[in-house]
């Protein structure tokens, strides 16, 4: 089959790399793609907002499956436009993508379905939000309702900071996304990510991961899109995964179906592992970036066939197989990130992919025949091994084979598990 992949980051490079290995794949197209994706796909210039142009392209190239990488086109209804034309698509409808597109929508669904999550209040004005603060204790968790590129969450230590953050949100800091706000109870615990594929009714667990959101060593400093990740997440034991499936994922998929908005695609649950069990922090309606990179390193089998089965509501026959090894990825970012990153810095990948390592392109470009940085997160340097400690060592050995003078990375990705492995070995 011919597949069209939409997106341009490290997540999409990992998907392209895996799709290219699919026995069921004939031709892979990517829009817009990036220099890494171009090694596996023909990159085409399609505007993701132009649904009619994408439909036309699918007809011209006999595309059997469209894979949507990022959330924005899903929230904007691209999957609906494709399904209307009987083109199979991996990704939810706009109505189902509200699980990521509106935090208030998801909280209301959790309340109705009895899904464990933080207590909350929705507020549609600054006055309402300020009044609601009295019902919470510090630290205050404040969230812009809509899509804010991962930046819409503020955790305020005291009431003054909370009021300032709320005024900023309603003042337009996150545009339309902040026209409504969710205030939540603070949950303490360790975070983990859990992935499931859903075809509207059937649900397939699809692996776990942990990422490092803060820019600095020891998980300090400003939030980023993710500075590194590893999969599986051993903190999500088989028993906890079973609870997550039964208490969180299944009631969500069942409620969406009962409401007439069946969820198809990958459902990514951000979880807090609290003393009272796993609780939902948030949903995403697409793979995590860079969590996808580590999942794809472990996945065996035909990704295109799995995704097509998901799009066609035929998941019941699918048995995905993941290597038990750990995959770990280190994000190399351009200096300045998560603020304004330095663009155009030279990159020499050299022999970085020796020893089974894989370098996914997240934000690169080719200029005058040479590879340069072209974004905040630039490279995802990824390795696998039987232990987290060994996977970490291999990933950093690959990082050290790369020349990228205007780049930087954290040196401690995976530290929690490395520490646990060290203690277990004592
Ligand atoms: P989100 O974009 O909803 O994943 O939130 C970003 C980050 O804020 C999460 O990864 C958590 O670290 C933190 N966070 C969000 N909601 C809560 C909460 N209710 N309690 C504690 N931390 C939270
Ligand atoms: N790495 C977090 C995300 O993709 O949302």
């Amino acid at each position: 089959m011919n597949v069209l992949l939409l997106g341009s980051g490290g997540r999409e490079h990992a998907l392209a790399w895996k799709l290219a290995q699919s026995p069921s794949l004939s031709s892979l197209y990517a829009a817009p793609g990036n220099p890494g994706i171009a090694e596996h796909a023909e990159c085409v210039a399609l505007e993701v907002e132009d649904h009619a142009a994408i439909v036309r392209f699918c007809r011209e190239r006999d595309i059997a499956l469209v894979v949507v990488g990022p959330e924005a086109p899903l929230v904007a209804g691209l999957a609906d436009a494709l399904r209307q034309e009987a083109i199979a698509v991996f990704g939810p409808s706009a109505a189902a993508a509200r699980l990521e597109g509106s935090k208030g929508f998801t909280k209301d669904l959790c309340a109705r379905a009895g899904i464990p999550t933080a207590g909350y209040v929705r507020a549609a004005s600054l006055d309402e939000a300020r009044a609601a603060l009295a019902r919470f204790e510090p630290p205050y968790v404040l969230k812009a309702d809509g899509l804010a590129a991962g930046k819409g969450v503020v955790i305020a230590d005291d009431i003054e900071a909370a009021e300032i953050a709320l005024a900023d949100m309603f003042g337009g800091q996150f545009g339309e996304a902040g026209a409504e706000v969710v205030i939540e109870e603070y949950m303490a615990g360790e975070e983990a990510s859990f992935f499931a594929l859903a075809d509207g009714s059937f649900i397939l667990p699809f692996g776990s991961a942990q990422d490092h959101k803060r820019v600095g060593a020891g998980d300090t400093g400003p939030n980023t899109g993710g500075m590194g990740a590893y999969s599986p997440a051993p903190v999500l034991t088989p028993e906890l995964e079973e609870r997550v499936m039964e208490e969180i994922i299944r009631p969500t998929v069942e409620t969406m179906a009962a409401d007439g908005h069946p969820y198809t695609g990958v459902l990514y649950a951000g979880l807090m592992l609290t003393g009272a069990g796993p609780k939902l922090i948030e949903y995403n309606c697409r793979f995590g970036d860079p969590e996808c990179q580590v999942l794809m390193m472990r996945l065996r089998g035909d990704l295109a066939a799995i995704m097509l089965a998901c799009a066609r509501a035929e998941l019941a026959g699918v048995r995905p197989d993941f290597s038990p090894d750990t995959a770990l990825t280190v994000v190399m970012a351009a200096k300045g990130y998560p603020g304004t990153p330095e663009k155009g810095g030279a990159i020499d990948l050299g022999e970085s992919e020796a020893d089974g390592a894989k370098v996914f392109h997240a934000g690169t470009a080719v200029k005058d025949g040479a590879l340069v940085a072209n974004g905040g997160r630039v490279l995802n340097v990824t390795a696998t091994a039987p232990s987290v400690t060994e996977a970490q060592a291999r990933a950093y050995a690959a990082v050290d084979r790369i020349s990228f003078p205007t780049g930087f990375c954290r040196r401690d990705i995976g530290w929690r598990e490395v520490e646990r492995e060290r203690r277990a070995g004592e």
Side-chain angles (χ1 to χ4, degrees):
M1 73 177 114
N2 297 339
V3 175
L4 171 64
L5 169 66
L6 299 177
S8 63
R11 167 180 51 210
E12 288 78 22
H13 185 186
L15 291 173
W17 172 74
K18 199 70 210 171
L19 285 167
Q21 297 167 41
S22 290
S24 60
L25 184 89
S26 310
S27 294
L28 180 62
Y29 299 92
N34 71 30
I37 293 170
E39 290 171 22
H40 312 290
E42 182 182 327
C43 294
V44 291
L46 281 171
E47 293 295 333
V48 78
E49 295 82 16
D50 190 346
H51 298 177
I54 293 175
V55 167
R56 251 191 334 272
F57 180 86
C58 291
R59 296 254 179 275
E60 280 164 21
R61 304 295 173 104
D62 194 21
I63 300 294
L65 174 70
V66 178
V67 176
V68 185
E71 63 277 14
L74 295 166
V75 172
L78 176 59
D80 305 79
L82 290 163
R83 278 198 195 99
Q84 215 157 39
E85 299 292 329
I87 299 165
V89 52
F90 182 83
S93 66
R98 281 181 296 171
L99 285 175
E100 176 162 2
S102 167
K103 293 190 189 291
F105 172 85
T106 298
K107 298 300 282 190
D108 287 352
L109 181 132
C110 287
R112 272 199 292 141
I115 293 167
T117 186
Y120 73 106
V121 168
R122 293 176 80 164
S125 72
L126 181 56
D127 284 348
E128 248 182 81
R130 290 174 67 177
L133 281 181
R135 295 160 60 180
F136 293 86
E137 283 170 12
Y140 300 96
V141 181
L142 315 166
K143 302 185 174 184
D145 183 77
L147 290 187
K151 300 193 176 81
V153 176
V154 173
I155 300 188
D157 286 332
D158 54 47
I159 196 103
E160 289 77 24
E163 297 215 345
I164 291 171
L166 286 173
D168 286 345
M169 286 184 187
F170 284 105
Q173 183 189 13
F174 303 114
E176 266 304 295
E180 188 179 328
V181 162
V182 174
I183 304 175
E184 280 186 20
E185 169 198 0
Y186 180 83
M187 299 186 285
E190 186 167 341
E191 286 181 50
S193 304
F194 181 77
F195 299 86
L197 303 186
D199 68 3
S201 56
F202 195 86
I203 313 164
L204 202 59
F206 208 64
S208 64
Q210 276 183 299
D211 77 339
H212 295 267
K213 288 210 169 65
R214 305 295 198 91
V215 76
D219 297 319
T220 56
N223 257 319
T224 71
M227 294 301 290
Y230 48 96
S231 172
V235 282
L236 269 183
T237 58
E239 293 71 30
L240 282 178
E241 285 199 3
E242 186 61 27
R243 282 188 69 178
V244 172
M245 278 292 284
E246 295 313 314
E247 297 173 17
I248 298 177
I249 306 285
R250 192 173 305 287
T252 300
V253 172
E254 285 177 357
T255 304
M256 293 299 289
D259 289 350
H261 308 299
Y263 190 92
T264 75
V266 59
L267 187 57
Y268 157 6
L271 303 168
M272 191 68 84
L273 306 179
T274 75
K279 293 190 180 183
L280 182 71
I281 301 173
E282 61 154 5
Y283 273 131
N284 296 302
C285 64
R286 34 82 190 172
F287 281 112
D289 187 347
E291 291 89 333
C292 183
Q293 290 81 316
V294 285
L295 286 177
M296 291 304 120
M297 287 292 276
R298 294 180 51 227
L299 179 67
R300 300 164 171 151
D302 189 326
L303 179 64
I306 293 172
M307 287 178 151
L308 185 67
C310 186
R312 284 186 176 163
E314 292 168 356
L315 264 190
V318 173
R319 297 277 169 280
D321 180 23
F322 286 95
S323 158
D325 282 357
T326 292
L328 183 144
T329 190
V330 176
V331 171
M332 296 185 82
K335 280 179 192 161
Y337 180 75
T340 307
E342 246 180 76
K343 269 197 174 183
I347 301 167
D348 184 352
L349 294 178
E351 298 299 309
S352 53
E353 291 194 338
D355 206 15
K358 180 75 206 153
V359 179
F360 296 113
H361 293 230
T364 67
V366 174
K367 208 174 159 201
D368 301 328
L371 193 66
V372 297
N374 188 38
R377 294 186 293 172
V378 177
L379 300 169
N380 308 138
V381 186
T382 317
T384 56
S387 70
V388 183
T389 308
E390 182 64 12
Q392 186 198 53
R394 285 188 193 174
Y396 281 113
V399 164
D400 292 337
R401 293 193 289 268
I402 294 173
S403 165
F404 177 22
T406 61
F408 73 96
C409 65
R410 277 181 57 168
R411 300 295 310 193
D412 64 343
I413 299 303
W415 65 268
R416 276 196 188 79
E417 283 309 322
V418 169
E419 185 66 14
R420 283 187 193 117
E421 286 179 352
R422 191 185 60 75
R423 282 202 304 268
E426 275 173 3

